Amino acid sequence: MPIDRTASVSIDVPRGLAGVVVTNTVLGDVRGLEGFYHYRQYSAVDLAQTRSFEDVWHLMVHGELPDAERAAAFATETAALRRLPEEVRAALPAIAAASGPSGPLAGLRSALSLLGAVKGFRPVYDIDAEQRRADTVAATAAVPTLLTALYRLGRGLEPVDPRNDLSYAANYLYMLTGSEPEPRRARAVEQYLISTIDHGFNASTFTARVIASTGADVVAALVGAVGALSGPLHGGAPRRALDTLDAIGTPDRIDPWIRERVLAGERIMGFGHPVYRTEDPRSRMLRGIAQQIGGPLVEFAIEVEQHVEAILAELKPGRELHTNVEFYAGVVMELCGLPREMFTPTFAAARVVGWSANILEQAQDSKIIRPAARYIGPQPPVAVPAFA
């Protein structure tokens, strides 16, 4: 039943807005009971297995999968946007130094803001749909360059200039390491990136849409989304899932280590999801990619997965708790040579496409997102005490 928005009576909703439908979208959906999600009607997993990152980027911001000619043109267009304006390049050493132990994701907030200012991004409220799209593409193309430069500067290394002849994923790895990546590993990272482009109205996506609903510029919305992603309950789990594998150490320690923490009420990072009641389809795909690469880490991760799921089924009966995307995402990124401090930034390098698509969709609606809160403090009005 439609809500009467002129009514003065507030409407109670579940804590955390769980399950509350706040808008309509054509960008995709997550069907948690089925273990399925899609981007504009195409299975996201199928896209990750059959198409390039640039193709799916085109799908998200232009609304259709490109044919070969358009795919090549879009890849050329986006590759040309990877280089940073000189004003931004000159500021990166100071941003990296100031970010310090907070890392590249914290620096990205400042660097993105500067990029938007230098490029003169205007409020989405004041520009047409084509300019909005152009702004999102320019910002997205620059994100890997910013992240890798901040990472390298933070370690006393010179940034590596982007290459136009490499794909989005291969160029990202190249700028990170200074070496052209092995095709198999570049493709593995590309598949991970595609699988995490978008995933319903998660916290960072919703944040981007709230900011876009005010009519602010594209970069303002992206910076807000990056801030939301930085939280350990959202984008920080891949590294923590690998830290769990390190802490367990050997197969004989799996059961006692996991049981102790589950019984203490601690969360096992990399397991469980607020939407899926089946195995996370992203986890299934990434497990397969990890197995193709192979090695002791993969074997141990699979053994840990099997034990943890059995223990969780025993100690938390009735709850479907399986690995989520973060568990095998961490394994795949480790196998492909990404440093752990770049796991969440790499997530951001993918999700920026999904945020952009949501910003574009939200900008079509001039209604600002403005929910209410229930006041539960002392009963007003209280007399203001005299100044002593």
Side-chain angles (χ1 to χ4, degrees):
M1 180 177 178
I3 297 173
D4 179 4
R5 299 188 183 280
T6 64
S8 59
V9 179
S10 296
I11 300 168
D12 285 337
V13 298
R15 184 166 172 254
L17 301 182
V20 175
V21 175
V22 296
T23 194
N24 296 320
T25 183
V26 299
L27 298 177
D29 192 23
V30 180
R31 303 209 294 248
L33 295 178
E34 302 170 43
F36 173 80
Y37 74 115
H38 65 94
Y39 305 152
R40 292 189 184 270
Q41 83 261 9
Y42 299 105
S43 161
V45 171
D46 287 351
L47 288 169
Q49 292 173 334
T50 61
R51 302 301 289 255
S52 71
F53 184 87
E54 285 84 350
D55 284 357
V56 184
W57 184 359
H58 187 284
L59 168 69
M60 295 302 288
V61 300
H62 285 287
E64 61 183 6
L65 281 171
D67 58 20
E69 183 179 353
R70 289 183 180 178
F74 187 68
T76 299
E77 173 196 351
T78 55
L81 293 168
R82 292 170 181 167
R83 290 189 176 273
L84 303 174
E86 185 53 41
E87 299 93 328
V88 177
R89 286 170 57 93
L92 288 180
I95 294 174
S99 301
S102 298
L105 200 64
L108 180 65
R109 299 199 294 266
S110 298
L112 260 181
S113 292
L114 179 59
L115 178 75
V118 169
K119 284 185 170 289
F121 283 5
R122 297 167 57 207
V124 295
Y125 187 79
D126 296 331
I127 56 179
D128 61 23
E130 192 53 43
Q131 186 59 55
R132 293 170 192 158
R133 186 176 293 109
D135 286 355
T136 68
V137 171
T140 298
V143 164
T145 311
L146 293 170
L147 286 171
T148 54
L150 290 167
Y151 170 78
R152 290 180 66 86
L153 286 165
R155 276 141 194 82
L157 303 171
E158 284 297 312
V160 175
D161 288 335
R163 279 174 48 179
N164 290 8
D165 61 318
L166 295 176
S167 69
Y168 186 92
N171 179 65
Y172 178 69
L173 290 172
Y174 169 71
M175 291 190 297
L176 187 64
T177 66
S179 300
E180 186 171 341
E182 177 189 332
R184 181 178 63 159
R185 283 172 167 73
R187 178 56 181 160
V189 170
E190 181 174 49
Q191 290 179 285
Y192 163 69
L193 293 173
I194 294 170
S195 73
T196 52
I197 278 175
D198 192 52
H199 203 252
F201 260 45
N202 54 81
S204 58
T205 296
F206 186 54
T207 299
R209 291 191 71 128
V210 169
I211 296 172
S213 81
T214 72
D217 66 77
V218 163
V219 159
L222 292 177
V223 169
V226 171
L229 187 73
S230 68
L233 297 183
H234 187 8
R239 178 174 182 171
R240 292 167 185 256
L242 270 190
D243 290 343
T244 295
L245 293 181
D246 288 345
I248 294 172
T250 56
D252 60 295
R253 282 174 44 83
I254 298 174
D255 278 28
W257 195 95
I258 295 297
R259 284 181 183 277
E260 179 182 345
R261 277 147 187 83
V262 173
L263 292 172
E266 296 180 23
R267 180 178 178 182
I268 307 300
M269 286 295 184
F271 289 81
H273 194 276
V275 176
Y276 290 116
R277 294 299 172 264
T278 64
E279 184 180 26
D280 187 330
R282 301 168 298 178
S283 177
R284 185 186 311 119
M285 185 195 76
L286 291 168
R287 184 199 301 118
I289 292 171
Q291 287 175 310
Q292 289 172 13
I293 299 173
L297 175 61
V298 180
E299 295 170 4
F300 185 53
I302 292 173
E303 187 170 1
V304 169
E305 176 189 17
Q306 294 169 345
H307 281 257
V308 172
E309 289 194 349
I311 293 169
L312 289 173
E314 174 193 338
L315 300 180
K316 295 181 179 290
R319 296 182 63 185
E320 291 289 336
L321 296 171
H322 304 280
T323 53
N324 55 42
V325 65
E326 285 87 3
F327 187 79
Y328 281 106
V331 172
V332 169
M333 285 189 277
E334 182 100 336
L335 292 172
C336 292
L338 278 83
R340 293 188 185 185
E341 54 267 47
M342 288 300 288
F343 284 5
T344 303
T346 302
F347 188 1
R351 189 54 63 84
V352 66
V353 171
W355 294 332
S356 294
N358 275 276
I359 290 166
L360 294 174
E361 187 174 66
Q362 186 64 48
Q364 297 172 4
D365 184 356
S366 61
K367 181 68 175 179
I368 191 170
I369 297 174
R370 209 297 192 183
R374 178 187 293 107
Y375 175 75
I376 59 170
Q379 187 62 36
V382 175
V384 178
F387 184 72

